[in-house]
Each structure stands twice: as structure tokens, then as C-alpha cells.
Amino acid sequence: MTELAIPAGQLADVIADATRYLFFTGKGGVGKTSLACATAVALADNGKRVLLVSTDPASNLDEVLGAVLSSVASAVPAAPGLFALNIDPEAAAQGYRDRIVGPYRGKLPPALVRSMEEQLSGACTTEIASFDEFAKLLGEPNATADFDHVIFDTAPTGHTLRLMTLPTAWTGFLDNNTSGTSCLGPLAGLQEQRTIYEAAVAALADGDRTTLILVSRPQKAALDEAERTSGELAAIGVRNQRLILNGVFRACCPGDKIATAMERRGTSAWLTKGDFLSRLPRIEVPLRPYNLIGMPALRNLAQSAEAVVPAANGDRPELPAMESLADLVDDLARAGRGVIMTMGKGGVGKTTIAAAIATELARRGLPVHLSTTDPAAHVAAAAGRIEGMQVSRIDPQAETKAYVEQVMTSAGRNLDASARAMLEEDLRSPCTEEIAVFRAFARIVAQGADRFVVLDTAPTGHTLLLLDATEAYHREIARKASNLPEEVKQLLPRLRDPDFTRVLIVTLPEATPVHEAAALQTDLRRAQIEPFAWVINQSIARADTRDPVLLARGCDEAPYIREVTDRLSKRTAIVPWLAEEPIGPVKLRQLFATAIPNG
């Protein structure tokens, strides 16, 4: 593979130079958790006391470490000196509500207390409560005094940026708010956290204490995300940054079309990002032929700069019968209209699957609106242009601006100057964005009444927060029900109607994406939303390759494919890894032209 001018380091360099706080962040699916766990295990093996924390609502630390974890730091038996915890968003939110509302119970009328609880039931409260837990670990010295290193396995990029900028956002809100209340309830509860917030900001910006490790694959979208994240976090003072390029692949079989294409894509992606890559210390981690789960795999990842290549025997796994993506689209097209949502863990290819379905429906002459609720998605680039298809993105900033203007024009029209100032102040809170995005989401879903709406949704945790916001917003609006848009009234019934909304759960044939997708399906069913089908994407087991590393990875896929077909899904389609990258209407058609043999 073509080398860059500046040579790459190894993961051992991160371990040797580890600051007290390490943040692993990047686009979903790039390997943040595996690398964070491998680093934590290596530091513990070197005699350090290490706390590993996941701030991801869809955390899978338990599975990777092979340990049962909770929201309290627990020892990892196979790695003496290593402790780990998952910040539980729901538990954090409940604790936050109890702390804020508790002092008022018995002192205020019950109706007013219930109103406060309703106000604290939305996704914004869940986010700020989770941030509280994170901020204590970063900004309260006594909370982690027993540890030499604290490692944060952060959520996918969009959520991480939100999480990491909240200290500044909320500190500014406290400085400027004079009314004593916010969408999170009485500001007294926030004022108590002010010192911790300020300490968290200081720790993030202190390069002697904190290192931000941007994790990427050698893929254009992942590198674009890493570059954007690097710039935005540098702008808030987080400048001690390193880049890990994970899953670097070098083909060893001349003439193998799949292997050659995989190496070529990586080369092309990182050469187009040469300026960005040259600005940061870079570590390269080769593609492993096995899943990075369990202590032996994690220790090998930390200690070895090269992948151990198994002997190739040419065998391919026997797989169950599955449908093609074309079979699913044939059924979807018969409805003539409705909402199709792709959901799953970040990095599994939801955007590609959504773009492929939308362009195929449009090619058949059906009206289609392709959109996304994912702030990190690149749906327009993936789909390209095709007659009969509208492409959009829910822009949080634009939606918030429009929503604020609407509220000030309607609710603020007859207020005096003082009341208008208070309303403007309240609308500056971060929760306003949640409501604005929610309304845009409801508006796009409503279009499914007379056309196809294909929605590429955000990574799993954010999606669940969005669905939870749907419930919370319904409760909040029901109390005020004056000026309730019709699309908001109809959103929940539409999402729950299998003839109107069809959810496709997209996964890779790997342990973590499959198990997170299973948890997503459980949550969807709890919300009375039944998935239409699962799509197993980018299967190497279905690709035509003889490369030993890829053959080993293909064999490693088999048990996870069978888990989906036998236990999790009533209907499953599989899409092979393709030599030609599926971007644009012409290349996306490969997903439908590829024959899928059975057995």
C-alpha cells in the first residue's frame, strides 16, 4: 500500500505515552471500543490501575471484555488492575430527576411536582444526566483518585461532539439565564454542578492530562468524520490529538479482485486525506482476521503490530438460505407508498442500504424522498441524483432557527418586552434543538402518506433517544395541546403501523453489530414497532475471495449470520462485500444485480 511521507507509529506508542485521561472517538463502527479496551488491558498489564468508561448509550464493553458490568466501577477478573463501567443513560436520568424534583415533594402542590417530572422526561434530560456522570469522572478529582488512568470509550461522533461541548454550552447558559428555570427544571440543580463542569472543561483542554484519540478506518467517510471532529474539538480547546488508522489491509493474493479492491479503497481514501493525516501523529493497526473480543485477542492487538494470518484451506462456511435485497424491495414497492427506515449500529452501512433502496424505487418510477436524521450521514453523496427522487437532510441548526422564529412569532407576539426576553432566553437552551429536530422528523414521516419516504436514521443510541423524545414530546404537547401540528399527532401511530412504516435493521456479520441490533429490536418492540426485516451487509463470506485473511474473516461471520436467521429475524437479506464501491445510482444497482446463492 502506498505510504505517506510521515511514518506511522504503533498502538504501543499510545500505551507508552498515555496521559491520565484518554478519549477514543470516531465514526460508528471504526473500532473505538476494541482499541480502548486493548489499551486499558495493556496499561493494567503494565501495573497501572485503570478505569475504563463507556459513555455510549449502545455500549458493548461487557461483550468485548468478557465481564458483567454496571454503572458502578467493577473489577475485570481477567485483567488485574482494570476496572470498567457503563454510564447507563436511563439510570442517570432517573437519578437526575430524583435529585432535581425530590426537594420539592411535599412542599409544592402535587400537580406542580408532576409537571416538573413531565418536563424532565425527554431526551435532553437523558443527555444532560449522562453528561453529569461523565463530568464527575473528569472534573471531580476524588471520583477517580484511585486510578492512574481513566479511559473513555465515547459514543459515535455526533453524540460525542454534543457530549463534549455541553460543559461550555451549559456553563454559558447558567451565566446568561436570569429567570431561574430552564427546560431541565429549576436551575439550582444545574448551579450545583457548575464547579464540576468548569473542571471538566479545564481537563479536556489540558494536553498534559488529556489525549484525544481519533479512530478511523481507511475509508473516506470515516476520515472525513475524523477530520471534522478534530477541527471542532480543537476549536473548544481539545488540541492534544492522535489518529489511529484501524483495519489497514494489504492484499497478499495477486489477481484476487475483492482483496485488491479492498486495499485500493484504503489507499485511495488516505491519499486524498494526506494533508489531514500529516497534521497528527498517526498509528496504523492492521486488519485482524478475527473478531476483537476477549482477552487473548485484545492482548494480541496491543502487543503485535502485525495480524496473525491463519493457514488458508480454501473452505467456505455453510450458510443458511437468505433473500437478496432485491427480494425485499420487490415487496416494499408493492405498497406504493410509506416510510422505510434503516436502523442499526453506526458504521454498518445504513446510509448505503437506504440510498440503494431509494434509488431503486425511483428507478421503478415511484416518487421517493430520501432523508436522514443522522448528523454524521452522507446520504446525498451516497445516492447521487436520479429522476423522481428528492434528497434532504434534517439540519439541526436550520431547524432550530426556524423553530425559534416560529415560537417568537406566535407565542411571543403579544408578550411585553420582559416576557419576550425570558422566552428568548429559554429558547437558547440546548433542549430547543431536540424539539426542532423532532418536529422536522415528524414532518418528513408524514410525507409517506402519498410517496415513499426512505429515512437513514442515526446510530442506535441516538435513534432510541429520538423515539423516546417522541413519547416525551407527546406527553408534553398533550398538556398544552393548543397549536399541535397534525403530523406530530400522527407520528406515533404511523411509526407503529406496519402498513405505513417498515423498519429494516442493518447489521454487519460480526458479534458487536449483531448483538447491538438485537438490543435495538427489543427496544423497538417495547415501543410497539415490529421490524420488517434484517439486512446483513458487507458479508465477506458471500464475496468471491481467496485471500487468507478475508477467508478467515468470512468463516468467522458464519455463527453471527446463523444467530440472525435462527434466533433474531423472521426475514433476512444478505449483501456481499463488493469490489466496486456502491456510491451513486449506477454503482448502487450492484446490490440488486448480485445473485445470492442458498446454502
Side-chain angles (χ1 to χ4, degrees), residues 83-396:
F83 294 75
L85 67 87
N86 289 311
I87 292 179
D88 182 338
E90 293 305 320
Q94 186 57 51
Y96 182 87
R97 282 190 288 269
D98 291 342
R99 188 170 72 250
I100 297 297
V101 180
Y104 298 94
R105 291 194 175 101
K107 298 178 181 178
L108 295 177
L112 186 53
V113 172
R114 282 195 300 273
S115 175
M116 292 170 63
E117 290 173 334
E118 286 286 343
Q119 199 169 22
L120 293 169
S121 63
C124 195
T125 299
T126 302
E127 189 169 29
I128 194 68
S130 296
F131 172 73
D132 270 1
E133 300 301 313
F134 155 81
K136 289 174 190 174
L137 296 171
L138 190 62
E140 196 173 80
N142 292 337
T144 57
D146 293 336
F147 299 100
D148 300 302
H149 300 280
V150 183
I151 299 176
F152 294 92
D153 169 31
T154 62
T157 307
H159 181 87
T160 300
L161 289 174
R162 175 77 167 156
L163 187 69
M164 295 181 81
T165 56
L166 272 173
T168 302
W170 282 102
T171 298
F173 185 59
L174 294 176
D175 282 335
N176 298 322
N177 188 289
T178 58
S179 65
T181 61
S182 77
C183 56
L184 296 176
L187 279 178
L190 296 177
Q191 290 285 4
E192 293 172 3
Q193 301 298 105
R194 184 179 189 128
T195 300
I196 295 176
Y197 287 0
E198 290 174 345
V201 173
L204 286 170
D206 185 349
D208 291 331
R209 287 188 288 166
T210 299
T211 304
L212 177 78
I213 300 170
L214 296 152
V215 182
S216 178
R217 295 275 185 180
Q219 299 164 353
K220 185 178 184 304
L223 285 165
D224 285 344
E225 279 300 303
E227 184 173 21
R228 184 175 67 84
T229 303
S230 174
E232 293 191 15
L233 293 179
I236 64 169
V238 185
R239 296 187 175 87
N240 183 17
Q241 302 180 6
R242 304 183 79 154
L243 174 72
I244 294 183
L245 203 57
N246 190 30
V248 174
F249 176 72
R250 291 174 171 85
C252 65
C253 295
D256 187 311
K257 187 177 180 181
I258 295 294
T260 302
M262 191 174 289
E263 179 175 355
R264 185 176 63 247
R265 282 194 209 173
T267 302
S268 175
W270 76 9
L271 288 181
T272 62
K273 288 291 180 182
D275 289 344
F276 167 57
L277 295 179
S278 67
R279 293 199 298 268
L280 296 176
R282 184 180 88 257
I283 293 96
E284 289 179 17
V285 177
L287 180 71
R288 260 46 182 185
Y290 45 78
N291 272 305
L292 293 168
I293 291 176
M295 288 298 163
L298 294 174
R299 288 191 167 105
N300 178 268
L301 179 62
Q303 295 166 4
S304 173
E306 296 296 331
V308 178
V309 181
N313 56 19
D315 291 342
R316 294 181 180 278
E318 290 189 11
L319 301 177
M322 288 169 282
E323 298 181 70
S324 69
L325 192 61
D327 296 326
L328 293 187
V329 174
D330 286 343
D331 275 2
L332 293 168
R334 290 188 187 103
R337 56 120 184 103
V339 174
I340 301 165
M341 297 174 68
T342 57
M343 302 180 72
K345 175 182 169 64
V348 299
K350 296 184 304 295
T351 301
T352 297
I353 298 299
I357 291 171
T359 54
E360 179 64 14
L361 291 171
R363 191 186 64 80
R364 298 183 185 192
L366 298 163
V368 181
H369 182 181
L370 172 63
S371 189
T372 181
T373 64
D374 187 345
H378 305 275
V379 68
R385 295 182 179 181
I386 185 170
E387 186 177 353
M389 183 177 71
Q390 174 190 359
V391 181
S392 71
R393 180 178 74 89
I394 295 177
D395 183 334

